[in-house]
Amino acid sequence: AVVATDLTPLERLRRESSLVAAEASLLLQEIANLTHGRARVGRDWEKAAKHFLELLARNHGADRACWYLYDFDGGLCIRGAEWAQPGMESPPDVPRQFPLDQFGKWVEKLMVGQYIEIEDVSRIEEPELREILERRGMKSVLAVPVVEGDRCTGWIALYGVRARQRFAPEVIEAIKVVAETAAGIHRLQKTRDELEESHRKLTVALEESERLRLAAEQASRAKSEFLATMSHEIRTPLNGVLGVLSLLEADPLPATTREHVQMARDSAHALLTLLNDLLDLARIEAGAMTMVKQDTDLLELMEQSLAAVAQPAAAKGLTLMSLVDARLPARIRTDPARLRQVLLNLIGNAVKFTERGRVLLQAGLAASEEPEICIRVRDTGPGIAWMEIDSIFEPFQQGCARDEGGRGVGLGLTLSRRLTELLGGQLEVVSEPGCGSEFSVRLPLPKWDATIAAASRPLAELQILVLDEQPWRREAICWQLAEWGATVRVEGLAADCCHAVLAGPGFGEMLAHILEACAARGSRKRPKIGLIVAMGADREAERLAMKLNAELFVEPLRWRRLLGWLRSDAAASSAAPALQLHESGQTVRNTRVPFVLIVDDNAVNRRVTSALLEKLGCRTETAASGEEALQRMAEGRPELVLLDLEMPGMSGLEVARRVREGQAEGVSPSLRLYALTAHVLPEEREKALAAGLNGFLAKPVSLEHLRQLVEECFAGTGPG
Ligand code: ADP
């Protein structure tokens, strides 16, 4: 028995599929060329379509092949591409476009994805159709729909022109595959067209936005320059106002006049704060505010900030206290000036709005995933209503709580938040009316090392007795001492077992008893006594300190000083206790009279600065221009020159340059030159230092600033 199988169809199929594969790979190459080559779309599509129509026709024995595309909007069909054996092209009178309904039911079939095969055109039943096809010289037709996704976008047709032809079913499959791939090209081209269009629009939009950016930058620069000029111009007369006020204050005045002078000074300071805040905000907005980070002693910075509000807080009877977590590193990397500015704003507000109670400044670790430092400013003030919480961070927005003087304008918190963000942190607030407020500054702590931090227990093994009638303050002091490792008691500690006693002035008698008891027991060890007194405490406290041989600590407590005192081995023997109570006189304690030349084109400022310096015991001369300054320097030989930078004619910088370069006849190139200017931007400072000035004082200048300067320049240069 024999089983015979005809392998012809199988063999044919194999051949067809290898052809299809070859065609597909050619097509893919075309696609690649088209998409990467970025040639013009319409022409390329037609070229590629023609290319594979040729492939199709040649491989399947067709005389002509066409690709038709639907134009649904126009109800048309367009012959997009054609390939034909020479002399067998579509007749020239056959239009490239024709109405869709010309082929009625065939188009419908194609649209639903069916193919059409007509082996013999002359046997088509519909006479109109037959005539159309015959007029185009067709004997056989195979039409296969081109489907893109789920949409039929046209069809590909193969024609037998010379003779009737039967296209094998596998060929239909092959065309379908090729058509799909080819349709891919079309789709890609359309996408690329769209992309090119969006690219063009985007380029136009980018050009426009670049133009707007430049305009905005120019406007912002103009604004910053305007503000800098304004600031300079306002500072100049303000220097006169504040200078005259501090001269007045230094004189004996009737009480009401003194009060008026103080009010005028407070208002002038409020104006100055406003000016500084506006300038800072403008610089932040212009992106010109840069942070200068350096290793910073956090506790020192906190204590300095508290000290700045000590006076107004003492006037209201508020307790100020700083506390630090002992695990925090002693130094953190930040911009100290900007962090101080933020803390001063927050503490300033807390003191301003709190009438009774306390303001606490506490630094600790935040409970977050990344190590973070959290500096809290907590007060017992009026609190903030929830609906105000967000708005108070907006510029010029104020809450229900207002300071009585009405001097705030609502910029402090805006500025503080922006500065904290520039420092890489966040500023938040938690508050409730009647329950006080807590503002917290969270800053990243990149190099925090828990093991090193845990080792910071400077008071380990010390026993300390804390006596304070105010429970809150007592607890706070105990907490901090314990944090640093001390064993702290508030009562019942035998005096001779303890290392130190810290007490308020109300405990004078008890302290005397403790010391007597020590002496009576013949105890060799006598505890150190530290007296904590409010700022502005009277002579009484000083006397008590002398009597008990005690160290005086003025509130707000300076922990560094207290730590040093507690750890020093010397017995309580401080003979000069009133370290901070009474400022030494304001004049410079030199018998020699320093000679200062003041150079300023503004007559009021010349007079004010020279009066302030004379109050400090200096001899002064003035010059109204750079040229006059050089002359005075040569003739009068001053020891210090205060130079205004912006003057008509020769500027202060030019004067400095000439002196330093030895071009000023009769003037020593190493003469001390300080800028005294209403320019406050860091760039100006750098310019001044680059021009050879020894230092920079910003207007308005206070008596205190001048005193520091004169001491810095002439300390230790007295007779001999
Ligand atoms: P200013 O103090 O100049 O009004 P700020 O921006 O510093 O401006 O503060 C905005 C507002 O936030 C204040 O007017 C006040 O109502 C509210 N505020 C700020 N700090 C406190 C605080 N510690 N307690 C109560 N209210 C506060």
Side-chain angles (χ1 to χ4, degrees):
V2 175
V3 177
T5 307
D6 180 2
L7 291 175
T8 319
L10 195 66
E11 190 50 36
R12 205 194 254 158
L13 196 62
R14 191 172 294 144
R15 220 182 60 221
E16 289 301 338
S17 54
S18 76
L19 275 173
V20 168
E23 283 159 6
S25 93
L26 268 170
L27 273 172
L28 289 174
Q29 206 175 333
E30 285 294 337
I31 293 170
N33 289 345
L34 281 170
T35 46
H36 297 309
R38 298 185 56 77
R40 282 304 321 142
V41 168
R43 207 183 59 231
D44 289 350
W45 179 82
E46 206 177 324
K47 205 171 110 197
K50 215 168 162 174
H51 180 69
F52 66 76
L53 286 177
E54 179 181 357
L55 280 169
L56 276 177
R58 285 191 191 283
N59 284 325
H60 302 302
D63 302 313
R64 187 195 301 158
C66 295
W67 189 332
Y68 298 94
L69 301 167
Y70 293 131
D71 170 6
F72 291 106
D73 295 339
L76 292 174
C77 201
I78 303 156
R79 192 171 70 232
E82 176 181 284
W83 176 86
Q85 295 281 5
M88 293 186 199
E89 298 87 2
S90 297
D93 59 329
V94 172
R96 264 186 92 134
Q97 304 186 357
F98 47 89
L100 270 176
D101 51 14
Q102 201 172 55
F103 290 100
K105 61 173 187 179
W106 288 3
V107 173
E108 279 167 27
K109 267 179 94 177
L110 287 165
M111 278 206 194
V112 294
Q114 293 174 7
Y115 67 91
I116 296 156
E117 187 184 16
I118 302 160
E119 203 181 330
D120 186 352
V121 167
S122 66
R123 289 167 65 181
I124 293 175
E125 282 169 12
E126 297 86 344
E128 281 170 28
L129 270 177
R130 193 172 57 236
E131 197 202 327
I132 290 175
L133 293 181
E134 281 180 339
R135 191 151 51 83
R136 294 175 192 207
M138 294 166 186
K139 297 219 165 50
S140 313
V141 179
L142 172 68
V144 183
V146 175
V147 183
E148 292 183 28
D150 55 358
R151 224 166 84 103
C152 180
T153 59
W155 76 89
I156 288 174
L158 297 187
Y159 303 116
V161 178
R162 279 171 300 192
R164 282 207 308 273
Q165 197 169 7
R166 187 168 189 283
F167 297 100
E170 307 89 79
V171 180
I172 295 166
E173 281 311 303
I175 294 178
K176 269 190 185 167
V177 174
V178 176
E180 264 170 33
T181 320
I185 295 187
H186 198 206
R187 205 168 43 238
L188 276 170
Q189 283 176 330
K190 262 184 16 206
T191 315
R192 204 186 65 187
D193 262 1
E194 284 161 16
L195 273 175
E196 277 188 350
E197 180 57 16
S198 354
H199 180 252
R200 195 189 58 76
K201 284 188 185 152
L202 201 66
T203 314
V204 172
L206 274 176
E207 280 167 8
E208 177 63 8
S209 71
E210 178 63 11
R211 199 184 58 74
L212 289 175
R213 188 183 65 82
L214 285 176
E217 261 181 21
Q218 208 173 356
S220 155
R221 241 194 330 270
K223 192 176 92 178
S224 300
E225 276 165 20
F226 173 72
L227 258 166
T229 314
M230 278 268 294
S231 149
H232 178 270
E233 296 310 312
I234 295 174
R235 238 167 250 278
T236 306
L238 205 55
N239 186 50
V241 173
L242 278 166
V244 170
L245 288 173
S246 57
L247 282 172
L248 269 176
E249 266 189 312
D251 286 341
L253 290 176
T256 43
T257 316
R258 175 167 300 281
E259 208 176 300
H260 292 161
V261 169
Q262 275 166 359
M263 277 157 63
R265 187 201 52 196
D266 287 352
S267 302
H269 273 295
L271 181 58
L272 186 62
T273 310
L274 173 62
L275 198 62
N276 288 338
D277 285 357
L278 278 174
L279 204 59
D280 280 347
L281 262 186
R283 282 168 58 72
I284 291 177
E285 270 168 22
M289 177 79 86
T290 43
M291 297 289 116
V292 186
K293 293 198 176 173
Q294 59 195 66
D295 284 342
T296 305
D297 184 334
L298 180 63
L299 182 58
E300 176 70 23
L301 191 137
M302 287 166 57
E303 290 183 351
Q304 278 175 5
S305 312
L306 272 191
V309 293
Q311 231 152 17
K316 283 177 152 185
L318 300 177
T319 307
L320 293 183
M321 178 76 71
S322 57
L323 295 176
V324 281
D325 187 323
R327 289 171 303 163
L328 280 179
R331 303 183 86 79
I332 61 166
R333 190 134 191 98
T334 191
D335 182 327
R338 295 305 173 187
L339 181 57
R340 185 181 300 116
Q341 193 175 350
V342 172
L343 294 184
L344 274 176
N345 258 329
L346 300 179
I347 302 169
N349 273 351
V351 169
K352 188 162 73 175
F353 296 118
T354 306
E355 289 311 320
R356 200 168 309 117
R358 57 197 173 259
V359 174
L360 174 68
L361 178 61
Q362 186 169 20
L365 289 167
S368 54
E369 278 178 20
E370 292 294 311
E372 258 187 342
I373 192 167
C374 181
I375 308 173
R376 295 194 180 86
V377 178
R378 208 181 295 169
D379 64 46
T380 50
I384 303 162
W386 65 267
M387 64 271 203
E388 285 177 356
I389 289 264
D390 288 331
S391 66
I392 54 171
F393 289 98
E394 299 294 324
F396 301 107
Q397 294 294 321
Q398 295 183 293
C400 283
R402 297 274 168 98
D403 59 315
E404 274 187 8
R407 272 179 236 110
V409 292
L411 275 182
L413 288 179
T414 314
L415 193 59
S416 300
R417 181 167 264 184
R418 304 260 177 99
L419 287 173
T420 310
E421 284 163 2
L422 283 176
L423 288 170
Q426 283 172 341
L427 172 61
E428 285 153 6
V429 60
V430 183
S431 182
E432 232 178 273
C435 302
S437 312
E438 180 179 304
F439 285 83
S440 38
V441 178
R442 294 161 81 102
L443 298 172
L445 197 54
K447 278 195 249 150
W448 181 59
D449 182 337
T451 49
I452 296 177
S456 162
R457 290 169 67 80
L459 298 182
E461 292 169 24
L462 294 191
Q463 303 229 26
I464 302 168
L465 181 65
V466 178
L467 304 171
D468 197 319
E469 56 278 315
Q470 216 192 81
W472 178 83
R473 188 171 47 202
R474 189 175 58 222
E475 273 170 39
I477 295 174
C478 288
W479 181 89
Q480 186 63 71
L481 295 173
E483 187 68 12
W484 281 324
T487 308
V488 192
R489 298 278 155 76
V490 290
E491 56 187 6
L493 192 69
D496 48 359
C497 326
C498 72
H499 180 84
V501 183
L502 281 175
F507 289 85
E509 265 180 42
M510 193 190 276
L511 289 171
H513 278 311
I514 289 175
L515 293 180
E516 275 166 23
C518 275
R521 268 188 262 147
S523 169
R524 269 184 292 134
K525 223 174 90 198
R526 170 189 182 281
K528 294 179 178 185
I529 308 285
L531 268 187
I532 302 174
V533 294
M535 193 176 206
D538 48 19
R539 289 246 162 228
E540 197 58 36
E542 258 182 88
R543 244 175 263 128
L544 182 62
M546 291 280 243
K547 193 174 125 204
L548 299 173
N549 200 7
E551 186 81 2
L552 265 184
F553 294 97
V554 183
E555 283 192 283
L557 269 182
R558 293 277 200 156
W559 290 110
R560 275 283 146 71
R561 190 173 150 240
L562 188 75
L563 268 181
W565 173 75
L566 283 171
R567 279 154 54 103
S568 69
D569 286 333
S573 61
S574 170
L579 203 78
Q580 298 178 21
L581 276 182
H582 298 283
E583 284 286 287
S584 56
Q586 286 182 323
T587 47
V588 181
R589 280 158 295 170
N590 268 327
T591 42
R592 195 165 65 86
V593 178
F595 176 24
V596 186
L597 174 67
I598 298 147
V599 189
D600 199 319
D601 61 323
N602 183 302
V604 176
N605 282 337
R606 275 199 308 273
R607 280 186 56 190
V608 167
T609 316
S610 99
L612 288 171
L613 281 168
E614 277 163 16
K615 252 206 173 354
L616 293 172
C618 301
R619 183 163 73 84
T620 61
E621 259 188 29
T622 59
S625 68
E627 292 82 356
E628 193 188 340
L630 287 175
Q631 200 183 337
R632 294 247 159 266
M633 282 181 216
E635 290 167 6
R637 306 209 167 246
E639 296 157 281
L640 167 67
V641 181
L642 297 183
L643 261 178
D644 185 15
L645 295 185
E646 205 161 283
M647 290 182 290
M650 193 188 294
S651 74
L653 291 180
E654 182 56 29
V655 172
R657 228 173 272 128
R658 289 199 186 189
V659 172
R660 290 293 178 251
E661 286 169 10
Q663 293 173 15
E665 217 175 298
V667 183
S668 157
S670 59
L671 175 61
R672 281 197 200 93
L673 302 173
Y674 277 74
L676 177 55
T677 168
H679 281 302
V680 287
L681 298 182
E683 303 85 274
E684 299 295 334
R685 189 177 292 256
E686 275 159 29
K687 256 196 250 167
L689 297 181
L693 284 139
N694 296 83
F696 191 96
L697 281 185
K699 284 180 192 167
V701 68
S702 66
L703 194 63
E704 184 53 29
H705 287 144
L706 287 176
R707 192 172 62 82
Q708 276 170 16
L709 173 75
V710 173
E711 279 193 348
E712 189 181 304
C713 291
F714 301 105
T717 58

